[in-house]
Amino acid sequence: MKLRTHLAAASALAVLAVACAANAQAPAAQAPAAPAQTAAAVDPACSALTGLRLAHTRIDAAVAVKAGDRQPIDAFGLPALPAENAYCRVSLTLTPVAGSEIHSEVWLPAAGGWNGKFAAMGNAGFGGSLGPPRLAMRQTIARGYAVAATDMGHTEPGADGKDASWALNQPEKIIDFGHRANHVTAVAAKAVIAAYYGHAPVRSYFQGCSDGGREALMAAQRYPDDFDGIVAGAPGAAWTHLMTTFAWSWKMSHQNPDSRLKSANLARIQSAALAACDELDGVKDGVIEDPRICRFDPATVLCSNDASEGCLTPAQLEGLKGLYGGPRRGVTGASLYPGFAPGGEAQRSGWDLWITGDEAQHPDFARSFFANFVFNQADWQLSQFDFDKDFDTVRERMAHVTDSDHPDMSAFKASGGKLLMYHGWNDAALPAEGTIQYFENVRETMGEAQTDAFARLFMVPAMGHCFSGPGPNTFDSLGVLDAWVEGGPAPDRIVASKYTNDLAQLLNMPTGRALSTRPLCAYPAVARWKGEGATNDEANFECVVPPPPTTKS
């Protein structure tokens, strides 16, 4: 699989997030090649952790890593990367119940390098490897946090993050994936931290994007005392609705060959959408600030109306309208989940990768989920899915295990927890408006004032799935959350930057420079240019609350 596909098949959060799928690898085989006696000589406290006894836990290895040692990543086809600081790497196997085997890692900054805090990392796609979280761990430990992550309780056989065959008739592994793996990893990690440093962490955080965002909200809802603060990026919270969306994407763009959208079509659609809506925020920059107010009519791109290259046939137009509209019941036409926003169709790692291309990710994810999680039929196919009765069956069988869209978060709020959510408007994997829908449900359930006391949502214009895009998309979500938890004011504005090389910036290997900055505004506010000053400088923008968007015609 090409690196580009690996980078967008699923996602794992670093300081921002890296969209990726991982190569499956057994944790015990991933430790640096350092003799045990060398580790003991460098850090005796580290090697002593192999003698720690914890319930339902086996400590497989505890190895001292020096700054400059190569860390295997086992994701994206990347080579081992040099450690930025010394730490103790602990590999665990957790067996909370029969039929469960969860592999996790805890990385502990060497003496003098720990900031006293703990941060757990979410995984990617269906999990199955520690590869994706390791990039996030590598970045976060460099900032002084003790870090941990888990493979979600299984080894993913396809090595690309979208094969769920491990779940076939495996209810305990499904529960591990759904919510248990991160909880037991957090409990074990805190015990390991206390044993190594002599005291528990003063603060504990969780950060994840995509499925990691689903995991983040799951932690807040099911285990409200595990973490003081949580970052949930592009959260796949309504998991059963999302898998239905993925099946709908296949139906709209693959089932009928005549409805397929090619690269030229996507480029023409995006160009027309930007022409209609780019300047609604007063700045022409290739970015639609809030697609909900965009009134782009895709019928203008019909070949009978526009003969430009990439114009649409009637079948293609109907498929496109279905993708914008989102999945619906076959009988009543009732909406099952929001659709995708206009303006990023031809973006790198966009619709071609996730929805419309020959190797699009949505069909593979959906088929594997329904076959192995829901129907227990390895040869089940998407053509069998009924958007009426099957959707209800999926909800009944899996929502209570996999979905983290419960709107009552009063227990997390009562624990003193803080929640920071974000989602990119040009996300071609998970519809951004679904996250707004969830946040609005929380505000309706708990009240706006109560919600605003512990939670913030930031929509990121033109950002793709967890990272990248033509607008400013790099920001320090963990740092903002940490300051808030430590008693600072609730964040209403976060400064985001656009770099010449977004991915290198995320990998902590910056090779470029910042091209522009822009504020991200706490929902429902949006950024507006003040009318003077450079439009690539966040200081010249203010956050304003616009009128509620009207229903799209």
Side-chain angles (χ1 to χ4, degrees):
M1 182 179 290
K2 296 178 181 178
L3 176 61
R4 185 173 75 95
T5 304
H6 277 292
L7 288 173
S11 66
L13 183 72
V15 174
L16 263 180
V18 177
C20 65
N23 296 317
Q25 194 73 235
Q30 296 168 348
Q37 64 269 26
T38 301
V42 172
D43 188 353
C46 179
S47 59
L49 290 174
T50 57
L52 183 64
R53 297 292 178 262
L54 302 173
H56 307 293
T57 302
R58 183 180 74 238
I59 297 183
D60 298 312
V63 179
V65 177
K66 303 186 301 298
D69 282 356
R70 292 281 170 173
Q71 304 173 129
I73 299 300
D74 299 313
F76 326 135
L78 290 172
L81 299 174
E84 295 188 39
N85 54 320
Y87 66 91
C88 175
R89 178 178 176 181
V90 184
S91 300
L92 311 173
T93 298
L94 308 172
T95 52
V97 299
S100 173
E101 183 174 306
I102 301 162
H103 297 292
S104 305
E105 287 185 359
V106 184
W107 296 2
L108 307 162
W114 186 39
N115 65 9
K117 302 173 184 180
F118 163 55
M121 308 291 122
N123 210 306
F126 287 121
S129 167
L130 281 156
R134 285 200 186 109
L135 278 176
M137 294 169 75
R138 179 175 176 272
Q139 287 186 305
T140 309
I141 197 173
R143 302 173 66 178
Y145 294 86
V147 295
T150 172
D151 68 357
M152 305 297 289
H154 61 275
T155 297
E156 194 270 303
D160 59 8
K162 58 185 180 181
D163 184 348
S165 59
W166 53 268
L168 187 67
N169 296 311
Q170 294 291 333
E172 295 300 339
K173 290 187 182 298
I174 290 174
I175 292 172
D176 285 339
F177 169 80
H179 57 84
R180 185 166 54 203
N182 280 313
H183 170 62
V184 297
T185 295
V187 172
K190 291 177 185 180
V192 170
I193 289 169
Y196 184 69
Y197 296 112
H199 63 86
V202 296
R203 298 290 188 194
S204 296
Y205 299 111
F206 187 96
Q207 56 176 354
C209 193
S210 190
D211 183 65
R214 179 194 68 84
E215 299 164 35
L217 292 177
M218 189 70 81
Q221 293 161 20
R222 282 186 179 262
Y223 308 103
D225 297 321
D226 278 0
F227 301 102
D228 301 294
I230 288 175
V231 175
W239 193 255
T240 52
H241 291 262
L242 285 167
M243 292 300 120
T244 302
T245 297
F246 290 6
W248 182 262
S249 294
W250 173 82
K251 179 180 176 68
M252 292 297 103
S253 58
H254 291 270
Q255 187 172 34
N256 176 6
D258 292 338
S259 69
R260 289 285 299 274
L261 297 170
K262 308 295 185 179
S263 295
N265 301 126
L266 297 177
R268 184 68 192 91
I269 295 163
Q270 177 173 298
S271 177
L274 290 173
C277 303
D278 181 2
E279 294 186 77
L280 292 176
D281 61 356
V283 179
K284 185 176 183 179
D285 55 1
V287 170
I288 299 175
E289 176 75 23
D290 184 354
R292 293 176 303 167
I293 64 174
C294 178
R295 293 295 174 264
F296 164 58
D297 180 3
T300 61
V301 192
L302 266 174
C303 293
S304 58
N305 299 324
D306 179 349
S308 299
E309 181 184 10
C311 63
L312 303 178
T313 65
Q316 289 175 320
L317 176 62
E318 287 307 303
L320 177 60
K321 286 181 175 179
L323 294 172
Y324 285 151
R328 296 185 177 276
R329 288 190 180 275
V331 175
T332 66
S335 174
L336 298 176
Y337 204 65
F340 294 91
E345 295 83 353
Q347 195 165 296
R348 184 179 181 184
S349 301
W351 283 32
D352 179 69
L353 181 70
W354 287 99
I355 301 171
T356 62
D358 293 336
E359 298 182 10
Q361 305 296 305
H362 280 181
D364 290 339
F365 269 108
R367 196 213 68 79
S368 200
F369 174 75
F370 293 130
N372 298 292
F373 275 67
V374 181
F375 299 115
N376 293 314
Q377 299 174 22
D379 60 351
W380 185 93
Q381 299 299 320
L382 284 175
S383 58
Q384 298 174 241
F385 192 81
D386 184 304
F387 287 89
D388 285 307
K389 63 182 181 68
D390 283 346
F391 172 74
D392 294 329
T393 299
V394 171
R395 292 283 299 163
E396 178 183 351
R397 294 182 182 179
M398 280 297 129
H400 64 288
V401 178
T402 61
D403 291 23
S404 59
D405 58 350
H406 195 280
D408 185 353
M409 302 187 73
S410 53
F412 182 66
K413 178 182 182 295
S415 75
K418 299 291 188 284
L419 172 66
L420 192 158
M421 300 171 63
Y422 67 87
H423 205 136
W425 268 118
N426 283 8
D427 192 333
L430 312 182
E433 202 159 350
T435 295
I436 292 179
Q437 187 179 83
Y438 171 68
F439 193 72
E440 288 284 15
N441 288 343
V442 175
R443 284 159 63 99
E444 181 178 349
T445 300
M446 299 184 63
E448 289 188 14
Q450 291 292 313
T451 301
D452 291 348
F454 80 98
R456 288 289 189 277
L457 167 62
F458 293 87
M459 300 304 293
V460 189
M463 187 170 80
H465 187 48
C466 295
F467 80 114
S468 78
N473 58 72
T474 301
F475 50 98
D476 184 6
S477 55
L478 179 59
V480 170
L481 176 71
D482 195 358
W484 186 15
V485 169
E486 291 290 3
D492 288 324
R493 177 182 177 121
I494 298 176
V495 176
S497 300
K498 170 65 181 176
Y499 289 90
T500 53
N501 190 328
D502 294 326
L503 181 57
Q505 196 72 27
L506 287 174
L507 297 181
N508 254 20
M509 298 184 294
T511 58
R513 57 185 177 83
L515 298 173
S516 63
T517 57
R518 184 73 62 88
L520 307 179
C521 301
Y523 178 85
V526 297
R528 287 288 183 265
W529 183 47
K530 296 177 181 178
E532 57 183 23
T535 57
N536 64 353
D537 185 347
E538 60 87 18
N540 299 320
F541 289 79
E542 58 185 350
C543 291
V544 300
V545 178
T550 57
T551 302
K552 295 178 182 178
S553 58

